[in-house]
Structure formats: C-alpha cells, structure tokens
Amino acid sequence: METQLDPMKDDLPLMANTSHMLVKHYILDLDVDFKSKVIEGIIVLFFETGSRYKKASSTGKEGCQSQCDGTCKTRASEPCHVPGTSVSACSSKTECNDFAVCGKGEEDTSDKNGNHSNKEQASGISNSKNCCDIENHGNKDFLLVLDCCDLSVLKVEEVDVAAVSGIEKFTRSAKLTGVSKELENLRNQIVHELVTLPADRWKEQLYYFTCCSRAPGCGELLFTTGTWSLEIRKSGIQTPTDFPHAIRIWYKTKPEGRSVTWTTDQSGRPCVYTMGSPINNRALFPCQEPPVALSTWQASVRTAAGFVVLMSGENSAEPVQLQEGILSWYYYVTMPMPASTFTIAVGCWQEVKQQSFAATVQTNTVFSLPSSQADFRWHEEICRHVEYPCRFQNPAARLQAVIPYRVFAPWCLMERCKERLLQLIPQCLSAAYVTLGTHPFSRLDVLIVPSNFSSLGMASPHIIFLSQSVLPGGSHLCGTRLCHEIAHAWFGLAIGARDWTEEWLSEGFATFLEDIFWARAQQLSHDEVKGQQELKALLRWRRLRDEVQNSEEELQVLRPKKESTGEFSESGASIVKHGLKAEKIFMQVHYLKGYFLLRSLARIIGEVSYLASLRKFVHKFHGQLVLSQDFLCMLLEDIPEQKQSGLTVESIFQNWLDTSGIPKPLLEEGETWKECQLVQQVSGEVTKWIQTNQKIRKSSKKKRKQDEVVFQKLLPDQLVLLLETLLEEKTLCPRILQHLEKTYQLREQDAEVRHRWCELVVKHKYVPGYGDVETFLREDQAMGVYLYGELMVNEDVKQQELAHKCFAAAQEHMDASSAKVVAEMLF
C-alpha cells in the first residue's frame, strides 16, 4: 500500500524507478480549457534502460574526477542504497519494493503528439493496492513507476515506432519479421538509436520523435494510479530491457491539481501557470521527477485565440491557427534537464514592445569578457555532460553579451513594465555575462505573473516569472530580483543539485551573485559596491537571525540528509526531506546561509580569484548535476594553501551545511558591517527620529511647533534598515508615523520598504495606515503572508477584522501553502 503522507507536512516521495528506466524525451500534445479548468491530451515518453540494467560500457561522458565525489555524471549514477527510510508504494511484501519504489530521475521532456482522440476510459484506474495484488498472485511483471499526482489517467499504450515511414535508418538489423518478440526488440532498438543520435542531428531527432509520437498504438498497457505514482506493466514482460521504450498516455489534469494555478490576471482575464510547487510537475503530466532523469521535450499546446502560450523552449513560438478560434503553439528543448524545470503559462498576456533587439544591445552594452576567463574559455577540450547542442561550444554564443528577450504582462501593467523592465533586462544580462561568461540558454521571456504568485520570482529554462511586487518604487528591487533569477540560468538550471535537499547550491549562489550582477549593471565604483554589499549583508544577517529564532531547527540545516545526500534506493527512489512542509516555502535559510558561506569563501580567497573559480566551475559542470562537495573540492584544489589554514570540505560541512542555527564563523563577522558608512548614516537618521518622537511626546498639544529636523535622503536598503530599527522602538506616536510616511513617501516605495512600513502600522495601531496594509495584502501576496500573523498577535479587534477581510478576498486564488499558513494564523 502506498505510504499516505500529509501533503503539507512530510517528506516528498520521488517514486519513479529511474535505475530501471530513464525518460530521455517527452512529447506533450495538450488542450487548455479555461471553462473546465482542465489541461488534457497525450504525452509520449521515450525511454532508455536504466543504469542498473545497462552494460558496463556507459554512453555518457565522465562528469568529474574529484576524489571527493565521483558520482557527478549527467546520466544516472550507479545506485546507492538509502539506509532505512525508503518510500514504498506497495505492501510489506519485499518483492514489490524494487519495482514500486523509485528515486530521483532525470529531467522530464515533452514530445509533440498527433491529434489522438481523448476518449475517457475509466477502466484501468484503480487504487495503488491493486499493484500489490498483481505482484502477490505470482505475476513477476516489471512495473514502470512514474511520478504522478492529481491526474486522471485514461489510457496507456505502447507505440509502434517501427511503423513510422523512413524509420529503417535507425535499425541496425533492418529486417522486420512477424515474430512479436523480435518486433518488440526492434522497437526498443529504434528508440535507443533515436535517443542517442549525435547532437549535430538534433533537428532530425526532433522530427522523428514527432513522427514516432504519431505512430499507431500496438497494445494497451495495464496501469494503476496511487496518491503519488502511476504504475504501468505489460503482461509477460519481466525486465526493463524488454519493456516498451515508447509509451503513450492519455490523461487530464484536475482543477485542484497542485502543479498548476488557475486564476485571473491583474486585468481580470483568466490564466493558468505552473507554480513551482513542492510537488513540481507531477500534477501537470506523468513524469520522472528525480533530478537524475535529465530529458528533452517538445510540446504542442492548443487554446482559444486571444491567449498566449509561454513555455520553457528554445524557440520563440508563433501560433498556428488550426480552426476558427483555436491556435496551436509549439516549443522544444534540446538541452536535457529535469522535468521539474518545465514551465508553462497561458493567459491573455501582452508583449511589451521594445526597440529592435540589435538597437537595444548597441545602446545599452559595451562589454569586455572577464580577463581571467580567457585562461580556459577558448581551449576547453570538450564538455563533460551528455551530448547536446551546447552553447558553450558555440563561438557565436560565447560572444553574446545579451541574449534575445521579450517581456509579457497583463495590459494594465504594460506601461510600468515599459518604464522599468525593458531598460533593466539588457543591463542585468550583460552584467551576468561579464561575470560568468556564456549564457547557457539562447533566449529569455520575462512574464509578470498574477498577484497570487507566492514569491518574487521563479527562473525556468528560457523564461522568468516575476511578481508584480517588483515593479513599484525605483529600479532597485526589480533589478536585484531580475539579477537573482538570471543567476539561476547557471546555478539551478545549467548546473543542478543532484539532491533537491541541497537547495543552497541554487539559492545561495543566486543570492550571492545578484549583488555582483546588480553592482555591475549599475556600473558602481569600488567604494559604492563595498558599501552597498556590506549594508545588504547586515540586512540579511538580521533576517537570518530572526529566521533561526522563529523556525524549527531541522529546517535550518542546508544538508539535512548529511552523508546520505545524493543516495537513493536500488530502484532509484528517494525522498526530498521536509519537501512538503508548508512553512518551508516561506523560509530563506537556504538563500541566506548559502549566501554567507559563499561570501565568506570570497573574503578568504579574494573576489577576483573567487569569481575566476566560479567561471571554471560553470565550464566544468554545466549540463550536469552536482553535490556540495563537487564545488568545494574544486575550489580547494584551486587554492591548496587554504587547506593549511584549516579550511577543508569537512570543516565547511561541519560549520555551515550540516548544522542548524547561525554558523560559528558568521557570529564573529556580524558586528563588522555596522561600521559601514551607509549603515552609520542610517544610525544617525534613527537617532533623529527617536529624539523627535521623544520631543513630540513631551510637548503639550499647544506647543505643536517643533524645530525643523532635516532628514537625509536614503537608498532603498537604507530605508529598510531604518524602518526595521524603528520597529524595535516600544512606542512611536501617530504624528511621527505620519511624518515618517511623508518624509520618505513610503507608499510610493518598493515592496521591501512598504512591508516594513506596514509592520510599523500594525505594531503601533496606526489607523490611517490600515489602508496601506490592506493594499499590501491584496497586491503583494508574494510577501504579505506573515503580516497576517502580525495583525492577529495584537489581539486588536480592528486589526483582526482587517486580517479576516483580506484573507476572505484573497483565499480563493492563494496557492495552497500560503492559504494553509495564513489559515493557521487566523483560526
């Protein structure tokens, strides 16, 4: 029986048996129906036999040779055994476990399908316990297990790829015979030849994938669905080697499925988008979720005219009219990535038009390559990842400082995007290029997602989602967030964590690099950079301190699986520890501790040498999955003298990655940032406000005339620090709060500043500011969750009414985790 987990509290099970079979390519052929809030259609999956059943000769190139790890190959590593807690989909019969328990797999891909009928067939859907009944009755059929949740699977069948015209070129033994066993072997041989084509034949490969996806079926397959998985078998087939390597699945999503959000945009038009939820894409299509399942995909998506389909794809899709009122959009990806990175957004988005791309690059960019990058850029022998058309090997791509980009938004935000985003994107892309070199992806779409989006941004291949909260105020919040998401192209996408529990490898790097990129985008002087980064470090230190004090210790550890990190069960199954805890989504510990570790290493090594090491890391490991030790070993090998000072992989694990709380080295550093000039300036302004507050409280109502105090203009981060410091004051009188708002025009500032202003309003029960709190909770849902708690804690009737009123208005469109956390605060 499949383990029943609380979908908001427990570890996330990765069920797919990737050691047995690996998806190499997906073709999706889908219809989006906004009336029923359902995406339905077909997915075709093309497999290779998994590492456990492959012969010794591997088709993948070695991923790394570090003595610290040795399992960094892009393709699936040889299975390791997870001690103790593997997730089982079957009953206690041990013979089930190898087949029903699955681990992290390679990235999912989607294939473009033909227009098959989507006839519902309820037969075939059953509870997962039936798979155990099958096993226990003596049938030793192999079970293919896919990650699947909140989907209605209607039919599964084998695809007769041998029936495709011209497919003979992919058969080494080209004779087609009538013997069924030989035909099955031939079909699997064709799929093998197709998925292993050289990278320079990628167009031909995509063409034949498409042809195969439209081939007739050659027999339905038995399947069962459970809470977290789809299990498929073919009678009489007992090994993955003999199991069909091309299968077609008819399915529908469910309106409540946790991988997609059905809502309305800021202009009131319907839309749907993937949300990067804890369960990733398994409620969008059946897939292999583990990171080791690196795959490519093609997707055709049909929807009503007037809607725009944006997706993770190398091409900027142009719609094709299929019939009156129906458009089809087609995207493809040739770089293998995890299924979790697949992203789709369908809505009435408008493109924010810009000058021609060439003109934009010319007017905004004058760049030189990092000097130290020349050491290894041009004579990099070969890439170490599995073969695909890699931009790091493309001379033209290596010189492209700004990749082509587009901006999409609801029509009501068009002007704001034109003012803010269009000028920032080329500056931030160029700054990233100067820092790290070749952009891993060939183009970029930026979409302003609906107001219920639960974070400030999310990066996926070829597309970035940004919250509307980054648009108000000056360019600071928008620019820094854009830099953060652009950094994920290298750290998080081109280089992925082999174990999802090591989020710091993505978020820590992006947080560290956003400061570097943003400073270069603004073309700041050395002193300005130093001042701003020390101010930022202090703000993050305060945030980390607060988070450590107010969260569970086990959620503060960056490597919660410690020495078991990266291991999975014999079938490939594993878990993402704490992956389903609702509160974890709002925690920043992986961002902050990861950032401080990288900042500490940069300080020890020196920024120039450190950035050179980052570029080397990117060149060595792009297209691969890594563990923490891959980065740390390479860094320490580059600077062997650091080992003499006691800096080792083991000491870094002990001090930074494997323990909760504030890392010891950071405790010693915390006071130094207070000496920064920008921080000292804020301290002076805080003193003025506190003294003014005291004078107002002491003076009588008749003596309202006060000596005019001149307050200095502050940067956005300085304003954040000022308001945070004033939050520590026990009382601030209403006149001070009014004066504070007018002095800095707080209602016009960015969301980070306005959030602190709302906290002040709530703490001091400043009724004239309640409208600002209501507006924030309505329009800045990416940041406002914990304001609900502040409204409830004072036990003030007006504030509690405000919290309930705002939640009632927003609840329907909130994502599940946000709604759950807020409900726990309110009820």
Side-chain angles (χ1 to χ4, degrees), residues 181 343 457 492 529 604:
K181 179 69 175 172
T343 303
V529 170
I604 292 168

Side-chain angles (χ1 to χ4, degrees), residues 337-390:
M337 284 173 290
S340 58
T341 65
F342 180 95
T343 303
I344 185 171
V346 185
C348 301
W349 324 120
Q350 305 287 315
E351 183 176 357
V352 184
K353 294 293 184 182
Q354 58 187 346
Q355 354 171 22
S356 72
F357 173 68
T360 303
V361 176
Q362 281 181 347
T363 55
N364 285 291
T365 61
V366 181
F367 297 104
S368 60
L369 283 170
S371 56
S372 54
Q373 189 174 342
D375 297 342
F376 51 85
R377 192 169 72 99
W378 297 113
H379 60 265
E380 182 79 8
E381 309 85 20
I382 56 169
C383 295
R384 297 163 177 265
H385 50 68
V386 292
E387 196 172 2
Y388 65 82
C390 179

Side-chain angles (χ1 to χ4, degrees), residues 215-474:
C218 53
E220 290 194 26
L221 302 174
L222 301 168
F223 66 91
T224 57
T225 56
T227 306
W228 295 108
S229 65
L230 169 64
E231 293 155 345
I232 303 168
R233 70 179 179 92
K234 180 176 180 178
S235 294
I237 298 300
Q238 297 179 10
T239 68
T241 309
D242 296 328
F243 192 82
H245 280 40
I247 63 170
R248 182 184 293 126
I249 301 171
W250 280 258
Y251 75 97
K252 290 182 177 182
T253 65
K254 296 179 181 179
E256 69 275 14
R258 284 164 280 168
S259 293
V260 291
T261 297
W262 298 88
T263 187
T264 53
D265 67 20
Q266 292 86 339
S267 298
R269 304 296 299 272
C271 61
V272 62
Y273 63 90
T274 47
M275 56 193 293
S277 71
I279 67 166
N280 294 311
N281 282 322
R282 66 183 72 187
L284 176 61
F285 56 92
C287 57
Q288 290 184 334
E289 284 279 20
V292 297
L294 300 169
S295 53
T296 49
W297 58 76
Q298 295 163 267
S300 287
V301 179
R302 290 173 296 281
T303 191
F307 288 94
V308 173
V309 178
L310 301 176
M311 194 184 295
S312 307
E314 291 167 24
N315 58 315
S316 300
E318 293 295 331
V320 175
Q321 184 168 329
L322 296 181
Q323 59 193 66
E324 190 174 350
I326 301 294
L327 298 179
S328 178
W329 304 72
Y330 166 70
Y331 288 89
Y332 66 83
V333 160
T334 61
M335 174 183 174
M337 284 173 290
S340 58
T341 65
F342 180 95
T343 303
I344 185 171
V346 185
C348 301
W349 324 120
Q350 305 287 315
E351 183 176 357
V352 184
K353 294 293 184 182
Q354 58 187 346
Q355 354 171 22
S356 72
F357 173 68
T360 303
V361 176
Q362 281 181 347
T363 55
N364 285 291
T365 61
V366 181
F367 297 104
S368 60
L369 283 170
S371 56
S372 54
Q373 189 174 342
D375 297 342
F376 51 85
R377 192 169 72 99
W378 297 113
H379 60 265
E380 182 79 8
E381 309 85 20
I382 56 169
C383 295
R384 297 163 177 265
H385 50 68
V386 292
E387 196 172 2
Y388 65 82
C390 179
R391 285 175 54 81
F392 286 80
Q393 291 295 318
N394 181 332
R398 290 195 300 235
L399 293 173
Q400 196 174 24
V402 179
I403 54 176
Y405 61 91
R406 303 180 299 179
V407 175
F408 291 87
W411 70 265
C412 63
L413 294 176
M414 295 277 286
E415 286 306 313
R416 195 172 273 183
C417 288
K418 199 173 289 186
E419 293 167 10
R420 185 77 66 233
L421 268 179
L422 284 185
Q423 61 178 344
L424 285 175
I425 291 173
Q427 294 169 10
C428 296
L429 285 171
S430 302
Y433 171 79
V434 169
T435 308
L436 294 178
T438 309
H439 289 280
F441 301 102
S442 57
R443 67 175 197 94
L444 176 65
D445 284 339
V446 177
L447 171 66
I448 302 298
V449 280
S451 57
N452 68 338
F453 190 62
S454 61
S455 71
L456 288 179
M458 184 179 82
S460 301
H462 316 284
I463 185 168
I464 286 173
F465 289 173
L466 284 182
S467 165
Q468 65 177 23
S469 295
V470 305
L471 295 176

Side-chain angles (χ1 to χ4, degrees), residues 657-675:
L657 302 182
D658 291 353
T659 54
S660 60
I662 304 280
K664 288 179 184 177
L666 191 53
L667 289 170
E668 302 158 9
E669 197 180 356
E671 292 297 314
T672 60
W673 305 310
K674 295 179 182 177
E675 306 304 317

